Amino acid sequence: MTRFTDSTHSTNVQSGPRVNDRPRPVPRVRVESSLVAFAASAVVLLLLLIFILQNGQRTEVYFFGAQGQLPMGVALLLAAVFGVLLVTVHVTMRRLQLRLSTRSHRTAPSTTITRPGPADTDPGADIPEGRN
């Protein structure tokens, strides 16, 4: 195997287009973001499953006169889901209120067009008389 040590034979290899003498960054792909979100969701679901399986003792649950027995993990998970739903409804209603209030405060565009008359086109009309 032969090595070239002569500096006159050096090659300048560029990896891709350059912007401002810097290599262009690799663009992000949406698939990467969705895969990260999918993996995070899978981990959260696994943790919830472990929580439910470890809290399997039965407990009495009362809700508006209805009663029943559920595993404690399932009852706590249902309470958390109902809490998330309440927050979602509250945030949605607030966003709707804000959207409606900004829509009602907007002023309608003026449909009348005012054009200067012939007297208004005099170039010296806006200068007071004593200043000429």
Side-chain angles (χ1 to χ4, degrees), residues 58-115:
R58 307 266 293 152
T59 185
E60 288 284 327
V61 178
Y62 301 94
F63 187 69
F64 288 122
Q67 69 180 27
Q69 286 190 350
L70 287 175
M72 186 181 294
V74 174
L76 290 173
L77 179 65
L78 283 174
V81 167
F82 284 132
V84 167
L85 287 175
L86 283 174
V87 170
T88 304
V89 167
H90 175 72
V91 169
T92 303
M93 294 302 292
R94 182 66 182 146
R95 290 184 68 193
L96 185 63
Q97 284 176 347
L98 289 173
R99 184 176 294 161
L100 289 175
S101 69
T102 56
R103 187 176 293 166
S104 67
H105 288 295
R106 286 187 193 153
T107 58
S110 171
T111 57
T112 58
I113 299 174
T114 58
R115 294 188 179 152

Side-chain angles (χ1 to χ4, degrees), residues 24-29 32:
R24 192 158 98 191
V26 178
R28 284 195 62 152
V29 182
E32 291 176 6

Side-chain angles (χ1 to χ4, degrees), residues 28-82:
R28 284 195 62 152
V29 182
R30 290 185 188 201
V31 175
E32 291 176 6
S33 300
S34 63
L35 285 177
V36 169
F38 180 75
S41 299
V43 168
V44 168
L45 286 175
L46 180 67
L47 292 174
L48 283 173
L49 181 65
I50 292 170
F51 175 79
I52 290 171
L53 290 175
Q54 286 182 346
N55 293 293
Q57 59 270 27
R58 307 266 293 152
T59 185
E60 288 284 327
V61 178
Y62 301 94
F63 187 69
F64 288 122
Q67 69 180 27
Q69 286 190 350
L70 287 175
M72 186 181 294
V74 174
L76 290 173
L77 179 65
L78 283 174
V81 167
F82 284 132

